[in-house]
Amino acid sequence: MANPMIKKIIFLLAFLLTTLLYSQESLALSCRYGSNSSSSTPTGTILQAFPIGSVSFAQSDFTSGTLLWRSSTYTATFTCWDTNKYPQGEDAYIYWNPQGDLSKVDPSLNVGVTINGTDYDSVNSGKGIRGPDVGAGTKYNGTSVATPLTVTVSFSIYIKATGVTPPSTFADIGSARVFQVDGVRALNSTPNSNYNAELTSFNNINVLQCTPTVTITGTSSNTIDFGTVMKETSAVGKVAKTIPFTISSDVSGGGCKGQQLVVSFSSSYVSSSDSSLLIPSTKPGVGIYITTAGSTTPLTFGTIYNFTDSTLSSNVSSVTNSYNANLKWLTNSPTPGAFSTTAVVSITFK
């Protein structure tokens, strides 16, 4: 005859396990696009497509970590409902790759998402991985069902290169769900209950067999030397010296036919208060800004500008544009001595 105490312990353990599993399943929200907290039942959009527009890159652009494409930044409000009677309330979270669709993405591409200003790279690795907490989804109100709340999230979706050689043509993999808004414990097991953002049109990514070679001609190769300027001439806002320079892009080979070139400038020395100004690390009291020849308007670092006004024809082998580097006084009492700063010029396709 079995010991009754053993039977009781086995029954108790089984009961506790069943309760635990039930509690985990019950922790799910239905979060949908829209500000609808006045509704007692879930309503709102559950699927939004983000198509990749037609973009072209040289094969050399596919170095690890290179940003290839980014969607516009969207600010969205979501409403979450306690559909499984968890009255204590729970926060809403972002879950990456909820259906595993991103496993179809070519290995040369990494999909990432910026949530409220923070980048989350490589969300296509893994399935249904819980990401950041985006705020309270429901709250306790003293009843058996929590009160629905709204959360506001700013996000954009981006694609980076992994360093793997890309195919000459990207396949159309259809739609790929990137993230889902859901509750704290896991993805909602009820289909079509939660907002999903999906990427489409991967076949719009084009790989060109043309790599623009950039040459900068200033006072010497890839260098602009302002020479000597006298501190006695300093006056805040006054341009101390202007040096012209040219940027040339070799597009020989014909692979760039039909493409329009764009240029951007970047630097780790950009002023925190003026994105068009470079400040040397020694901070001698001068700043440097770039203008196109014939213009006095400073170019903004990190902004894309047309390098060609139209698409290239097959007989074009090189494109050259003229610019000015301007040295500006930032103080009436500059610090004497040598200074230097650097900027990177990138030319790619529109």
Side-chain angles (χ1 to χ4, degrees):
M1 180 176 177
N3 188 320
M5 181 59 70
I6 294 177
K7 283 186 176 180
K8 183 177 180 181
I9 292 173
I10 292 174
F11 173 78
L12 180 61
L13 289 175
F15 174 76
L16 290 175
L17 180 61
T18 301
T19 303
L20 178 61
L21 292 175
Y22 176 79
S23 297
Q24 289 180 334
E25 276 189 6
S26 68
L27 293 180
L29 294 177
S30 175
C31 298
R32 304 189 179 202
Y33 179 81
S35 182
N36 300 305
S37 59
S38 60
S39 174
S40 59
T41 57
T43 182
T45 303
I46 58 172
L47 188 63
Q48 186 175 9
F50 294 85
I52 300 169
S54 181
V55 289
S56 300
F57 303 97
Q59 188 165 317
S60 59
D61 290 327
F62 284 79
T63 55
S64 180
T66 299
L67 179 66
L68 300 174
W69 175 85
R70 181 185 288 275
S71 73
S72 299
T73 298
Y74 294 84
T75 299
T77 297
F78 304 102
T79 307
C80 297
W81 288 266
D82 174 20
T83 52
N84 293 77
K85 296 184 179 179
Y86 186 70
Q88 292 91 330
E90 57 183 305
D91 282 5
Y93 287 79
I94 301 295
Y95 284 81
W96 308 126
N97 195 18
Q99 303 299 322
D101 299 340
L102 293 177
S103 63
K104 300 180 292 185
V105 174
D106 189 86
S108 63
L109 305 176
N110 261 341
V111 178
V113 183
T114 301
I115 300 287
N116 295 333
T118 300
D119 287 348
Y120 297 89
D121 283 340
S122 304
V123 302
N124 46 322
S125 58
K127 176 184 176 182
I129 305 299
R130 194 177 79 183
D133 183 337
V134 292
T138 57
K139 69 176 181 179
Y140 180 67
N141 60 18
T143 70
S144 61
V145 179
T147 298
L149 297 176
T150 59
V151 293
T152 299
V153 181
S154 292
F155 68 91
S156 63
I157 303 173
Y158 58 86
I159 297 175
K160 289 184 177 181
T162 63
V164 174
T165 301
S168 56
T169 303
F170 282 90
D172 183 4
I173 63 172
S175 61
R177 299 190 183 208
V178 178
F179 70 84
Q180 177 169 315
V181 184
D182 215 313
V184 63
R185 287 295 181 91
L187 294 170
N188 195 332
S189 60
T190 303
N192 302 319
S193 296
N194 293 66
Y195 175 89
N196 277 245
E198 65 176 9
L199 270 182
T200 64
S201 308
F202 280 86
N203 56 321
N204 277 340
I205 302 174
N206 303 304
V207 181
L208 303 177
Q209 303 307 311
C210 169
T211 303
T213 302
V214 180
T215 302
I216 301 172
T217 304
T219 49
S220 60
S221 179
N222 294 337
T223 303
I224 299 165
D225 189 344
F226 287 100
T228 302
V229 291
M230 305 302 295
K231 64 174 293 187
E232 289 77 14
T233 65
S234 62
V236 174
K238 179 182 177 181
V239 175
K241 187 175 285 189
T242 297
I243 302 293
F245 67 98
T246 61
I247 300 175
S248 298
S249 178
D250 183 346
V251 291
S252 57
C256 299
K257 177 184 176 181
Q259 300 299 320
Q260 184 175 353
L261 300 183
V262 292
V263 63
S264 62
F265 301 84
S266 60
S267 176
S268 57
Y269 296 94
V270 178
S271 167
S272 59
S273 60
D274 184 349
S275 57
S276 67
L277 196 65
L278 296 183
I279 306 294
S281 58
T282 54
K283 298 181 179 179
V286 295
I288 300 166
Y289 66 93
I290 298 171
T291 58
T292 56
S295 172
T296 58
T297 303
L299 300 180
T300 302
F301 287 86
T303 298
I304 294 174
Y305 298 94
N306 287 341
F307 195 71
T308 58
D309 293 326
S310 59
T311 58
L312 299 174
S313 60
S314 58
N315 59 350
V316 174
S317 60
S318 180
V319 180
T320 299
N321 285 329
S322 298
Y323 299 86
N324 288 324
N326 306 276
L327 184 69
K328 182 171 74 170
W329 296 113
L330 302 180
T331 176
N332 295 325
S333 303
T335 303
F339 63 85
S340 65
T341 187
T342 59
V344 176
V345 178
S346 300
I347 292 181
T348 185
F349 308 102
K350 191 170 185 178

